[in-house]
Amino acid sequence: MQRLETLRRQAYVIRLAIAQLLVALVGTLLALVVADSGSATSVTLGALVAFLPQVFFVQRMAVFKQRVPASQSALRLFRAEAGKFGLTVALFAVVFITVPPSNPAFFFSAYIAVVLMHWLAPWLMPRKLRN
């Protein structure tokens, strides 16, 4: 039973990451066609600012490992979420200081689109793993 739960978590995380990267790729290509390369760069940066903290969170939560006791799990969750928040703030600061987006609307749209993929992720799960 525990192995099945681990497989469910792994499938969810992998499909979510793929969906987030696809959204970033489609957004970048769309910005390249509609606007210019500067806007495409803004989309890419916005997607990275959203995606990299998510990768950090998954790694800190040890999603791909077996379950741990609830007390350790809660502590991991708080630490991972605090680290994710700190990394997000740091990435925003780095992006706006070193490489200011040429089009902030594209930057924030990509950021929001990648972050909101969590809402669509349950639809990405195969039926046999959802139940």
Side-chain angles (χ1 to χ4, degrees):
M1 186 68 161
Q2 200 173 34
R3 177 81 175 134
L4 182 61
E5 282 300 315
T6 302
L7 290 175
R8 284 183 184 175
R9 283 191 311 242
Q10 290 173 353
Y12 176 83
V13 169
I14 290 170
R15 289 175 189 266
L16 176 62
I18 290 170
Q20 287 175 325
L21 291 174
L22 284 175
V23 164
L25 179 65
V26 168
T28 301
L29 293 175
L30 189 62
L32 197 56
V33 169
V34 172
D36 57 353
S37 62
S39 296
T41 303
S42 294
V43 169
T44 304
L45 289 173
L48 283 175
V49 167
F51 185 71
L52 292 177
Q54 179 65 28
V55 171
F56 173 83
F57 181 84
V58 168
Q59 187 272 332
R60 291 290 290 174
M61 281 295 296
V63 171
F64 294 114
K65 296 181 181 173
Q66 294 291 330
R67 289 221 182 239
V68 295
S71 60
Q72 285 181 340
S73 182
L75 186 60
R76 273 189 191 173
L77 175 67
F78 289 130
R79 286 183 178 168
E81 191 60 41
K84 179 181 173 183
F85 179 73
L87 184 58
T88 302
V89 170
L91 287 173
F92 268 111
V94 167
V95 165
F96 281 106
I97 291 171
T98 59
V99 188
S102 64
N103 193 336
F106 280 94
F107 175 84
F108 286 110
S109 296
Y111 175 80
I112 291 168
V114 170
V115 168
L116 292 183
M117 281 306 297
H118 285 285
W119 289 4
L120 301 177
W123 291 342
L124 302 172
M125 294 298 295
R127 289 228 178 257
K128 62 183 178 181
L129 289 179
R130 263 193 261 167
N131 299 327

